Structures are given as structure tokens and as C-alpha cells.
Amino acid sequence: ELNGGEAEVVAFLSALNLFSVAESLGGVESLVAVPATMTHRAMEPEARHEAGVKDTLLRLSVGIEDGDDLVADIQAALAAVAAL
């Protein structure tokens, strides 16, 4: 979960190079999802928050790419958020 709001989520997602923004596709590639706007969007905001699904929650599904590359990608995206 990111501290902040929508701007931080957008910055994080925009800075990723190895993760695709998508719900699970059943493949082997790394994905990132924003449950509040994707898998849980039909829920009322209050119910989402009560369930622990905040607007800044991100879900990472790690694929078969090199682990060090994935970590570096996440670190770069977090640096982009910190630069805001």
C-alpha cells in the first residue's frame, strides 16, 4: 500500500517497466493491479475500506522474470513516488 493518494499510484504504475497493469491473466509474466479500481470496483467505497481494500493498495503478481530485475523495477517505481 502506498502512502498518499492517486498521484502516487499513477507515478508508481507509470514508472514500472517489467510489471504490466492487469488483472491475473493466468500467464507467467509479472502483473500489478489496483484492486480498488479493478477487481473490487463494484463494491461501495465504505465496504472496500472496511475489507482493507484502500484506494492506494497495489497487488503484485510475480512472474518468472529475474528476481533482481523485478526488485530493481519496484525500487525505481518507489523512487518515482518519493520524488513527488
Side-chain angles (χ1 to χ4, degrees):
E1 188 173 324
L2 296 174
N3 292 329
E6 184 179 342
E8 285 79 5
V9 171
V10 170
F12 183 86
L13 297 176
S14 297
L16 290 171
N17 291 308
L18 298 178
F19 287 81
S20 298
V21 179
E23 295 178 24
S24 178
L25 303 173
V28 297
E29 64 278 346
S30 293
L31 305 173
V32 60
V34 184
T37 62
M38 298 169 86
T39 57
H40 292 71
R41 72 176 169 267
M43 292 176 73
E44 293 294 325
E46 298 80 19
R48 263 198 332 266
H49 287 275
E50 193 171 302
V53 181
K54 298 181 181 174
D55 294 342
T56 55
L57 178 68
L58 302 173
R59 180 177 186 268
L60 300 175
S61 297
V62 177
I64 62 169
E65 300 89 352
D66 181 77
D68 291 336
D69 291 343
L70 294 172
V71 169
D73 197 33
I74 293 168
Q75 289 173 331
L78 290 171
V81 170
L84 291 180

